Amino acid sequence: MTSNVQEFDFTKQGVTVEDTFSQLDGEGYFDGIKEGYHDPATEYAFRVLSGKQMAGQKIKLAMFRHLNDLVRAGNDDFPYCYNLDAVRSILNFSKLCPDVETGNPRPLLEWQQAVLCLINGWRSKATKEKRFTYVYLSVGRTNGKTYLVNILLTYSYLIENQGKKNLDFAYVGTNDKISKKGMRYLSSTLDYLGQNLPPFKKLIDSQQIQSSADLIQSFTTKSQILRLTAGSGKFDSLHATTAILDEYGDGQYSDGVISRMTSGNVHQLNKQLIVTSSAYENPRVPMHQDYLRLSEVVKKDNSREADDSLFLCWEQDSLEETEQPDTWVKSNPLLDLPSMHDRLMLGLKSEKDKQESAGRIAWFQNRNLNQWLQASKNHYLEVADVQNAIISDFSIDNRDCYVGFDLSHVSDDTSFSFVFPYIKNGRKMYHIYQHSFVPLARSNNNLLTKEKTDGIQYGEAAKKGYATIADNPQGLINEDSVGRWFLDFVHDHNLNVKAFIYDPYQAGPMTDWLNQNMDDVPFITLRQGSLSLNQPTVFLRNQFIAGNITMLDDEILQAACTNAVTVTNAYGIKIDKEAMSKKIDALDATIDAMSEAAFYFSNPNHGQKEDKNNPFDGMTENDVNNYFNTEFSF
């Protein structure tokens, strides 16, 4: 059996999922799917894509991929199938599970049923195991995701565990409070099933399943559900069949939790890791990195990248929708439940008004509208503006550039930032490239400790050329090495450095030495107060907002941009950080460089060294020639 599959790349300009679906549907492309599949996930997909069900772009893309994968499943070379028996099984089980609040089963909405169907229904044709080993499930707060993951984990333990022994399952929370709450819900579900449904009572009794605050275990099969926290450090020895990571957007998960979990279950059969959370205020967390990665994956229907990952994210499409409550169902799908709509909408409006009056509207946009952005009211840059600046490649060779320099103290990074002005399609643009020198003196000379403290993968950054890690026994930055690196970098790329800008407070032997070795480059001091920094700080932010900044996928520079907050006084603004561990050194250096780069297109000789004995100082060669040709008359 073969199917004529059409494939699409929704990253291309002018190619939209709505128009593509409408055209295909009008041509009868999905007629076979409509006839063969009537499950909730497929019905929901058609409703979303036809416009009958309001949903955001991420869900539209996920639903299109589901429908087109159903078409692909008809081809022998596509390794997955949609197993309707597995779909019916999870749906039938869900009807028996009690709601975590009422203690009684309640009908699930179509979107909730769709989640269960997609997670459990897609299977490997060869092994019948679950297709999606990684599931990203995100909705706004108080939309019932706990109920869904409770069903999924209980189903995996009771139903799919039949005939097997010594399996591990896990419920992971950020802290004891959250993980104990999740474990309490699981225990309540088992109690309800055992007390109200004779077949389950027989099953639970025969397997001698018992619950405690930390563990659900069978004394006959030896299979268990463990309660863990993000910082428990018990993941290396865990071989989980099904694991739930709750509130995954919290920074507590930054310590490589997923890597340690997945490395332990590479040979596990039918494994599945489900992460769930609403968006958080700090974008420097693993969940946001997954969000960015999978947001791109789901746009490329023509690619098989991450085909074992399921990305389900109910979110608003723009910040403008904060003022449009009729669109909030995009991030709060529980609004579709008539009995909940008025109460939930009233609560959402009340929360918006409260946070807005307190100057914290970003908190509401984070948690309730499920949008990744910083919640600090004085954050310098929006996450979206930073992410939109990232490009895949840029050649810096033989270009004009401005260099900003930020010399570190003991625990801060030492950073060079290179700003390259350029023209793209008639637009004045600025490309930023940074290189940081990372000290380990305050981290016991341990790179992993430094990475954990700062929330930055310096080792990976070093491999990509964005960082140099201190390698001496003291863990300190060697200034001679810093200076030599800079001169070599400028020489190797044949850079035309228009100006070198730095903090005079940090002037020292190294900057003097660089100045002596680059006599043709203006070395300009820039005091680090609001009076001096206001102009370049505002200019750089405006260029980010306007889309005139580009940068490579450099975690150090991204972290600096998203960590920075603004400090305001009578003289203007400058950037600062909310905590010592929030590194902004690369951005400090960038703002220094931008203090001169901002004049590149209007006054390219701005900041040049003055030579009072040279009447032509600051003039270009053409200016000098014109002077001699036109300034004298005889």
Side-chain angles (χ1 to χ4, degrees), residues 195-208:
Q195 293 169 10
N196 294 278
L197 300 166
F200 282 100
K201 175 175 172 46
K202 182 178 179 180
L203 173 63
I204 292 170
D205 288 345
S206 66
Q207 292 191 6
Q208 299 181 46

Side-chain angles (χ1 to χ4, degrees), residues 148-166:
L148 293 179
V149 298
N150 181 45
I151 292 170
L152 288 162
L153 189 53
T154 308
Y155 176 84
S156 182
Y157 183 70
L158 287 181
I159 305 302
E160 294 188 311
N161 189 23
Q162 294 303 302
K164 302 179 181 68
K165 293 185 177 183
N166 300 305

Side-chain angles (χ1 to χ4, degrees), residues 317-599:
D317 287 321
S318 69
L319 290 176
E320 286 74 18
E321 292 179 343
T322 305
E323 305 301 328
Q324 301 168 17
D326 59 331
T327 69
W328 290 353
V329 70
K330 292 181 180 180
S331 55
N332 293 269
L334 204 59
L335 283 169
D336 276 332
L337 182 63
S339 63
M340 285 286 294
H341 179 275
D342 291 347
R343 181 159 62 96
L344 180 54
M345 180 60 78
L346 182 65
L348 287 169
K349 289 181 177 179
S350 174
E351 179 68 9
K352 173 184 176 292
D353 292 343
K354 181 176 69 175
Q355 298 295 351
E356 195 166 31
S357 64
R360 297 193 301 265
I361 188 62
W363 283 95
F364 174 76
Q365 293 164 330
N366 268 150
R367 306 300 178 86
N368 298 103
L369 301 187
N370 204 24
Q371 293 200 300
W372 283 99
L373 71 166
Q374 292 164 273
S376 172
K377 65 180 179 180
N378 59 337
H379 62 274
Y380 177 58
L381 292 170
E382 298 289 355
V383 174
D385 292 329
V386 177
Q387 295 300 323
N388 290 338
I390 297 173
I391 59 176
S392 60
D393 187 48
F394 187 89
S395 176
I396 65 174
D397 293 348
N398 310 309
R399 289 186 182 269
D400 291 346
C401 71
Y402 295 82
V403 179
F405 179 62
D406 188 76
L407 184 65
S408 78
H409 299 292
V410 176
S411 63
D412 288 331
D413 301 339
T414 287
S415 297
F416 288 106
S417 182
F418 301 79
V419 174
F420 300 88
Y422 69 105
I423 300 291
K424 179 181 180 182
N425 299 327
R427 292 177 60 182
K428 299 171 183 176
M429 306 285 291
Y430 301 88
H431 182 77
I432 304 170
Y433 181 93
Q434 75 80 38
H435 188 92
S436 291
F437 295 80
V438 182
L440 302 179
R442 292 287 175 83
S443 305
N444 297 319
N445 223 357
N446 187 301
L447 178 59
L448 293 179
T449 300
K450 175 72 171 174
E451 290 181 333
K452 182 177 181 180
T453 301
D454 294 357
I456 298 172
Q457 300 299 310
Y458 289 114
E460 288 300 314
K463 291 178 183 177
K464 296 176 181 178
Y466 303 130
T468 298
I469 313 297
D471 59 359
N472 55 57
Q474 296 78 32
L476 297 174
I477 298 301
N478 184 299
E479 291 191 8
D480 289 342
S481 297
V482 172
R484 286 194 297 271
W485 178 93
F486 176 71
L487 292 179
D488 289 343
F489 187 82
V490 170
H491 176 267
D492 292 345
H493 294 282
N494 194 31
L495 302 181
N496 179 29
V497 179
K498 302 284 288 182
F500 185 103
I501 307 96
Y502 64 101
D503 178 4
Y505 175 73
Q506 297 176 332
M510 188 189 71
T511 50
D512 289 344
W513 180 74
L514 286 176
N515 196 353
Q516 294 169 12
N517 281 273
M518 306 180 74
D519 188 55
D520 57 333
V521 175
F523 273 60
I524 302 171
T525 59
L526 184 68
R527 295 190 180 278
Q528 300 297 292
S530 299
L531 184 63
S532 302
L533 292 175
N534 180 71
Q535 181 272 331
T537 302
V538 172
F539 181 82
L540 178 61
R541 179 168 62 184
N542 290 343
Q543 296 307 304
F544 265 105
I545 294 171
N548 297 332
I549 300 292
T550 58
M551 53 196 281
L552 301 180
D553 191 8
D554 172 6
E555 185 180 359
I556 294 176
L557 183 55
Q558 292 175 57
C561 290
T562 54
N563 284 339
V565 297
T566 56
V567 177
T568 305
N569 59 28
Y571 300 106
I573 69 170
K574 66 175 185 176
I575 64 166
D576 203 345
K577 53 189 177 182
E578 293 181 308
M580 287 298 295
S581 62
K582 301 291 185 181
K583 299 305 175 190
I584 61 170
D585 309 286
L587 185 60
D588 279 328
T590 301
I591 290 173
D592 288 346
M594 194 59 78
S595 68
E596 291 296 325
F599 298 98

